[in-house]
Amino acid sequence: MLKTVVAHSEDPDSLDAVQEVIEQCKNQLNGTEPQAGILFAAIDFDFSLILEEINQVFPNLELIGCTTDGEMSSVLGFQQDSLALMLFCSDTIQIRAGVGHQVKENPIDAAKVAVEQATQKSSEQAKLCLCLPASYIGEGLTTSGESILKGLKLALNPEIPIVGGTAGDRYKFTKTYQFFGSQVLTNSLPILIFSGDILFSHGISCGWQPFGRKAVVTKSVGTVLYEVEGKSAVSFYQDYLGDRPPRAENPLAVFDGDSDSYYMRVPNTHDSEVGSINFLGDIPEKTVVQITDISRNEVIAASKISFENALKNYPGEKPTAALLFSCCCRRWLLGTRSKEEYELVEKTLDREIAVLGFYTYGEFAPLEPNGSTYFHQETFVTLLLGTE
Amino acid sequence: MPSIDHESRIKKLEKTIRTLTKKLERSEADRQQLEIASEDRKLVLKGIIKDLENSEIALKERRKELENALSNLKTLQLKMIEAEKMSALGVMVAGIAHEINNPISFIHGNLEHAYTYFQDLLRLIELYQQNYPQPVAVIKKEIERIELDYIKEDSQKLLKSMNIGVERVRDIVLSLRTFSRLDEAEFKSIDIHQGIDSTLVILNHRLKPHPENSYGIDVIKNYGKIPFVECYPGPLNQVFMNIIANAIDAVEEGLNTPTLPDKDKYRTPTIRINTEINDDLVVIRIADSGTGISEAALLKLFDPFYTTKKIGKGTGLGLSISYQIIVDMHGGKLECSSSDLGGAEFTIVIPLVQSLGTSN
């Protein structure tokens, strides 16, 4: 049995918001003690205060969370500047939290520490890993989603799916925070490990469309793209954006080999003098890249496709909870239509389940059931949880 | 309690105000970001338009390139056919020349003996007549019948003219062999005057007076003192042939065009061939008194398939092939200008030695 409750407050006052959230939870729990929780908070809140309040009410809660670029839940739908909490109660599932630190400097070790901490607390084999790592850690520095993923894969049984998203900071791209128990952290990797008789499924979809000319990457090192067809990466973007810097709204579609399928890479920082662009993910040399743009209808439709895929792949009959991880660029580009992403998901459901989600700076999920996990951008990831 | 009610209502209102203020702040920030984004998207659109324009230009260029390539291929195909034809013709001419050469050689060789035998026989008859002045009637009758005196008188002329005829055939055969020069696909040092002369021999039938040109064509040769020239003899002879044949056409056209204003100009049909050495270059000028070449035609003169001749008369390839032979094969120059004779003047310039090519 898995009981999931979700609470959501749009009150900008930290104390009022957390009290409202706790109140909502207590009303739904009816005295049942929650085992674990996930907290998503807008960047302006007083996080210490919020975590302290939660800790006082639920002292043994295995809680992780992070700051976001927008929150969504089955309580208030899509919100910004809000606080959302999901709590899990179960006798048959073990949900344990772990955290790794210095994830930028040492992602492999951080992942190892986090996984060990969580798995040591469970008596059963891990089945699913949920992660909410740092992205921006201040002073223009970022973690590497791919390195974090590599670390988690090394620390876990390779067959364990990893689902989640990197923390956000309301589209400021400066500093994000992560939560672990009552601690407010930066540059960290909080995770939840699910074991026991948990059933789950996931689905992903994107909706971006490549346009313009296809060009071959002639020089790149890791996440830094230097040259495209002998011209600087910045000038490749300038062909489309003029003298504006490369932006997250126009990520690159990266084609591997002659295949028509591609994955997305979002530009992060750039060096005008060298003409290089640092992306939020590796861009290998000799791959073919193409700039992309969005059609809002297709982006919204992608959230539905993602959710439907997850539903189709769910091994049981009735999922109890849904976790959504949608890229911040989607929210930004959808603007006032952002709420439609959640509304479409809600319409797809034939009954009420607890839904919690946030807008991320990068998503983790396998491409297909039983497949290896990838680090995504601009993507909508659905994770369904349940026991029946 | 009413006071608690009020308190809770005030609290609710305060929350609403807080929330709305926050939302307003967020909306303001979003609006600003949207304005920036809208500018950015405008730029993206401009970028796409630029891309499209560039690809349109690239496509146009590509189309031009392809059209050029196609036209070059067509030209090449026709040139190949022409070259094949010329080569086949060359082989045939060389074969015929060779076949004629042998019988003509023994006719030429035996003609002298025939002449001597004939003279001997005539002298023998004379001796008979001196020793037997009164022949029997039947011999006397036969002498009268065959007109022996006339035979004596004419036989010499007859054999001489036969000799001239054979010599002429030998000349033609030699010219044909020189012209076709099948064995000479490589650079060779030759006397170019010999090449020009053999071309003239081959074209002789068109230079002599004939029904369409009762005047014939005067050929003035001003040959300079020119050493052997390093060249491809066969192709070079082909150039002489093309240019001289064109000159003859132009001269004949002048004669047969009654509407031409200054018809008298064409009454002395002339082709003049000058050769000289200019530093390390051989300069050959072939001028004619023909109809000349218009300004417009001058521009396209060496283009493949350009012809001013009537349909079926010219392929438009002669000068274009000549141009290639002179410029590409020999590193020389081929130019055309107006001649003081009234028609056109073609100037062929080739280096005396190939390492001194003008294009190098």
Side-chain angles (χ1 to χ4, degrees):
Chain A
M1 195 275 295
L2 175 68
K3 182 179 169 73
T4 313
V5 300
V6 66
H8 201 165
S9 168
E10 56 176 342
D11 195 326
D13 182 88
S14 299
L15 187 60
D16 281 329
V18 72
Q19 282 176 346
E20 192 184 342
V21 161
I22 290 169
E23 194 59 32
Q24 286 177 27
C25 284
K26 278 163 82 178
N27 288 342
Q28 294 173 75
L29 285 167
N30 276 330
T32 319
E33 195 184 340
Q35 184 189 156
I38 300 170
L39 179 74
F40 294 139
I43 197 77
D44 287 342
F45 284 113
D46 181 343
F47 312 122
S48 304
L49 184 145
I50 289 168
L51 294 176
E52 202 45 57
E53 286 290 318
I54 295 171
N55 193 40
Q56 273 180 19
V57 182
F58 307 113
N60 300 317
L61 194 67
E62 300 276 337
L63 179 75
I64 67 164
C66 65
T67 51
T68 71
D69 184 55
E71 307 77 38
M72 48 194 151
S73 80
S74 42
V75 181
L76 291 179
F78 166 70
Q79 290 296 328
Q80 285 167 289
D81 306 304
S82 70
L83 185 72
L85 178 66
M86 180 178 264
L87 298 176
F88 302 101
C89 314
S90 179
D91 300 331
T92 53
I93 299 170
Q94 292 184 10
I95 308 168
R96 300 290 182 259
V99 70
H101 302 275
Q102 303 294 306
V103 72
K104 177 189 164 46
E105 294 77 7
N106 216 332
I108 307 292
D109 282 354
K112 195 177 168 210
V113 169
V115 169
E116 276 175 6
Q117 189 183 353
T119 48
Q120 272 166 14
K121 289 188 273 184
S122 22
S123 57
E124 292 189 73
Q125 285 285 314
K127 285 197 173 163
L128 171 70
C129 175
L130 194 141
C131 65
L132 302 172
S135 53
Y136 288 78
I137 59 169
E139 291 162 6
L141 300 173
T142 58
T143 63
S144 158
E146 283 183 340
S147 302
I148 292 167
L149 183 61
K150 195 175 159 196
L152 288 171
K153 281 183 177 176
L154 283 171
L156 289 159
N157 177 338
E159 286 166 16
I160 309 282
I162 301 155
V163 180
T166 59
D169 64 350
R170 204 179 66 199
Y171 223 67
K172 289 175 179 171
F173 303 106
T174 49
K175 194 172 184 180
T176 61
Y177 296 89
Q178 302 80 50
F179 314 131
F180 181 75
S182 55
Q183 300 172 47
V184 179
L185 305 166
T186 59
N187 197 9
S188 75
L189 168 61
I191 62 164
L192 280 184
I193 298 276
F194 292 73
S195 56
D197 69 350
I198 177 103
L199 297 179
F200 63 88
S201 64
H202 41 76
I204 65 163
S205 194
C206 164
W208 254 257
Q209 297 298 318
F211 74 92
R213 65 180 195 280
K214 281 187 175 181
V216 179
V217 173
T218 43
K219 190 181 171 193
S220 71
V221 178
T223 60
V224 184
L225 177 64
Y226 288 96
E227 281 178 14
V228 178
E229 294 201 329
K231 275 171 72 185
S232 80
V234 167
S235 72
F236 179 70
Y237 260 90
Q238 277 172 346
D239 285 350
Y240 297 98
L241 302 182
D243 53 4
R244 300 286 175 114
R247 352 173 273 162
E249 289 88 332
N250 297 102
L252 287 185
V254 184
F255 295 80
D256 213 352
D258 293 332
S259 166
D260 278 343
S261 58
Y262 51 86
Y263 53 91
M264 310 290 283
R265 284 297 173 251
V266 177
N268 178 20
T269 53
H270 72 285
D271 183 334
S272 312
E273 274 179 34
V274 180
S276 64
I277 304 171
N278 190 15
F279 282 79
L280 296 171
D282 288 355
I283 299 190
E285 275 181 12
K286 287 178 189 154
T287 50
V288 172
V289 292
Q290 197 175 5
I291 206 160
T292 63
D293 200 17
I294 61 150
S295 132
R296 298 210 291 176
N297 287 342
E298 274 163 12
V299 169
I300 291 172
S303 62
K304 191 181 174 194
I305 293 166
S306 161
F307 199 85
E308 282 174 344
N309 279 341
L311 268 182
K312 195 175 73 192
N313 296 327
Y314 185 71
E317 299 286 321
K318 294 177 189 167
T320 316
L323 285 163
L324 309 175
F325 306 93
S326 181
C327 182
C328 62
C329 297
R330 304 171 65 85
R331 183 206 51 77
W332 164 238
L333 293 164
L334 292 175
T336 53
R337 294 184 67 186
S338 294
K339 60 178 189 290
E340 291 179 38
E341 275 205 318
Y342 177 76
E343 284 167 5
L344 260 185
V345 166
E346 203 174 37
K347 273 184 201 158
T348 312
L349 289 164
D350 54 359
R351 64 192 176 83
E352 273 192 27
I353 66 169
V355 183
L356 177 73
F358 83 106
Y359 283 91
T360 77
Y361 284 180
E363 306 76 45
F364 299 91
L367 285 173
E368 52 214 10
N370 306 318
S372 186
T373 301
Y374 284 82
F375 179 55
H376 304 275
Q377 277 142 20
E378 320 280 30
T379 303
F380 190 96
V381 174
T382 306
L383 174 68
L384 293 179
L385 299 168
T387 49
E388 294 173 27
Chain B
M1 294 284 285
S3 66
I4 293 174
D5 253 12
H6 283 304
E7 215 172 286
S8 116
R9 278 186 68 188
I10 286 167
K11 259 194 166 178
K12 260 192 185 166
L13 281 172
E14 274 173 358
K15 183 194 164 183
T16 311
I17 289 165
R18 275 201 304 271
T19 311
L20 287 175
T21 311
K22 191 77 190 176
K23 281 190 195 293
L24 197 66
E25 273 170 30
R26 169 73 82 151
S27 285
E28 268 307 297
D30 279 358
R31 208 180 72 184
Q32 278 168 11
Q33 265 185 322
L34 268 173
E35 279 164 7
I36 296 166
S38 149
E39 290 286 314
D40 285 352
R41 289 182 73 80
K42 219 159 56 188
L43 287 171
V44 170
L45 205 65
K46 274 187 190 163
I48 298 169
I49 291 167
K50 200 175 85 185
D51 241 19
L52 284 174
E53 283 170 352
N54 284 346
S55 58
E56 196 190 335
I57 291 166
L59 270 176
K60 273 186 188 160
E61 275 170 10
R62 186 89 192 103
R63 203 181 71 188
K64 244 188 213 166
E65 276 171 26
L66 283 172
E67 278 171 355
N68 278 347
L70 185 68
S71 110
N72 284 345
L73 273 175
K74 279 184 182 162
T75 312
L76 193 71
Q77 195 187 19
L78 279 154
K79 276 183 185 170
M80 278 171 76
I81 294 168
E82 190 69 12
E84 200 57 38
K85 220 163 67 187
M86 288 302 285
S87 155
L89 210 59
V91 172
M92 201 173 78
V93 164
I96 293 169
H98 179 78
E99 288 304 320
I100 295 172
N101 195 43
N102 282 343
I104 281 299
S105 287
F106 59 71
I107 291 173
H108 182 258
N110 290 338
L111 211 54
E112 208 170 316
H113 297 299
Y115 180 74
T116 316
Y117 296 163
F118 209 78
Q119 290 307 314
D120 287 350
L121 286 174
L122 282 177
R123 218 170 31 252
L124 185 69
I125 290 168
E126 259 175 40
L127 275 177
Y128 267 108
Q129 281 178 330
Q130 280 165 18
N131 292 304
Y132 304 100
Q134 294 302 321
V136 290
V138 64
I139 288 175
K140 202 176 172 182
K141 204 177 171 184
E142 190 61 23
I143 285 172
E144 277 166 17
R145 199 190 66 78
I146 64 168
E147 296 179 70
L148 183 63
D149 287 339
Y150 180 75
I151 290 177
K152 277 182 193 167
E153 194 189 311
D154 196 48
S155 65
Q156 214 153 353
K157 283 185 200 162
L158 184 137
L159 281 160
K160 260 187 192 152
S161 73
M162 278 169 76
N163 206 31
I164 290 167
V166 168
E167 289 279 354
R168 175 110 189 88
V169 172
R170 267 164 58 99
D171 276 354
I172 290 170
V173 166
L174 189 68
S175 295
L176 285 174
R177 291 176 72 178
T178 311
F179 183 77
S180 58
R181 306 205 81 131
L182 283 182
D183 48 334
E184 288 158 19
E186 286 177 4
F187 275 124
K188 204 169 175 185
S189 291
I190 58 138
D191 177 3
I192 54 154
H193 292 145
Q194 211 178 28
I196 298 170
D197 287 343
S198 48
T199 308
L200 288 170
V201 168
I202 292 166
L203 288 170
N204 195 35
H205 68 287
R206 297 193 60 199
L207 296 168
K208 286 187 305 189
H210 55 90
E212 282 175 34
N213 173 11
S214 47
Y215 309 98
I217 298 169
D218 281 345
V219 177
I220 305 167
K221 294 193 272 189
N222 298 322
Y223 287 173
K225 204 174 173 202
I226 292 175
F228 276 23
V229 179
E230 226 177 58
C231 63
Y232 289 103
L236 197 61
N237 287 342
Q238 199 184 336
V239 175
F240 297 146
M241 176 66 120
N242 282 333
I243 293 174
I244 296 171
N246 276 350
I248 296 171
D249 286 344
V251 168
E252 284 182 351
E253 197 191 332
L255 289 171
N256 299 323
T257 312
T259 51
L260 280 171
D262 192 6
K263 203 160 182 289
D264 282 346
K265 199 162 84 175
Y266 305 104
R267 295 231 177 244
T268 47
T270 312
I271 290 174
R272 189 184 60 211
I273 303 169
N274 285 21
T275 63
E276 63 186 18
I277 285 281
N278 191 347
D279 290 333
D280 295 318
L281 303 170
V282 184
V283 183
I284 304 148
R285 290 180 223 279
I286 300 170
D288 67 66
S289 63
T291 46
I293 296 168
S294 73
E295 289 276 329
L298 265 180
L299 292 172
K300 294 181 181 173
L301 203 58
F302 299 113
D303 288 357
F305 312 114
Y306 179 77
T307 181
T308 55
K309 294 178 188 169
K310 282 179 193 139
I311 295 167
K313 268 213 110 181
T315 58
L317 280 173
L319 282 180
S320 131
I321 291 171
S322 300
Y323 189 86
Q324 274 202 332
I325 291 171
I326 298 301
V327 177
D328 298 344
M329 286 174 84
H330 291 89
K333 277 193 229 168
L334 177 59
E335 289 165 350
C336 179
S337 56
S338 293
S339 145
D340 57 348
L341 296 175
E345 179 172 286
F346 282 84
T347 308
I348 301 165
V349 181
I350 57 168
L352 204 51
V353 182
Q354 271 307 308
S355 55
L356 302 171
T358 52
S359 60
N360 297 337

